[in-house]
Amino acid sequence: GQQVQQSPTSLVLQEGENAELQCNFSTSLNSMQWFYQRPGGSLISVFYNPSGTKQSGRLTSTTVIKERRSSLHISSSQITDSGTYLCAMRGSSGNKLIFGIGTLLSVKP
Amino acid sequence: DAGVTQTPRHEVAEKGQTIILKCEPVSGHNDLFWYRQTKIQGLELLSYFRSKSLMEDGGAFKDRFKAEMLNSSFSTLKIQPTEPKDSAVYLCASSFGPNSDYTFGSGTRLLVI
């Protein structure tokens, strides 16, 4: 089965609403990352190796490594937040990232 | 630009052709990764190099996919022969080392007809 489960798979918001994206890992992990991808674009690192709670502007990541979960909170969503948000984990060996399927976020005016 | 450079941006191939995708990692990065991205499967690891040595070559992709890294600043991914199911975005990424952030390239969008 999938080692990285993301939910929801898609989300539609009105501009100004908040979003909560979830990521759960079925195996133990060393670290994880959140990425953002605009349609047709490349992946941009949003939060690298977060633990506990970290904030960057309107984005907040809350990660509990021991419980194998992480969430990404987007407050006061804007149209430009639309895109796909992916979480990824590093296992116990090597540097490879294993990705979730992503959450497709669409923010409407 | 000091990021990861991938060429070409788009590729159209006929079934059975051989195609070669190229990647230049960030200068000084030791790890290089090739991923395939589709809507159904998401991102799947194809190959992983550390200091030019192949660390992992993504089992299911072994028979027709071959990644090489002849020097620290250039990698290729060869698909031979191509099949329509290979249509996807191929992403290259590099990293300084263990537990370091990844930098992704813009990807190559491949269509096999």
Side-chain angles (χ1 to χ4, degrees), chain A residues 21-32:
Chain A
L21 312 181
Q22 301 291 340
C23 191
N24 290 280
F25 310 100
S26 61
T27 61
S28 59
L29 61 152
N30 273 346
S31 65
M32 63 83 58

Side-chain angles (χ1 to χ4, degrees), chain A residues 14-15 17 19 27 39-41 46-47 55-56 76 79 90-91 99 103 109:
Chain A
Q14 289 296 122
E15 194 173 14
E17 290 183 328
T27 61
V46 176
F47 284 104
Q55 184 174 0
S56 175
S76 304
I79 295 170
R90 276 185 187 84
F99 284 83
T103 294

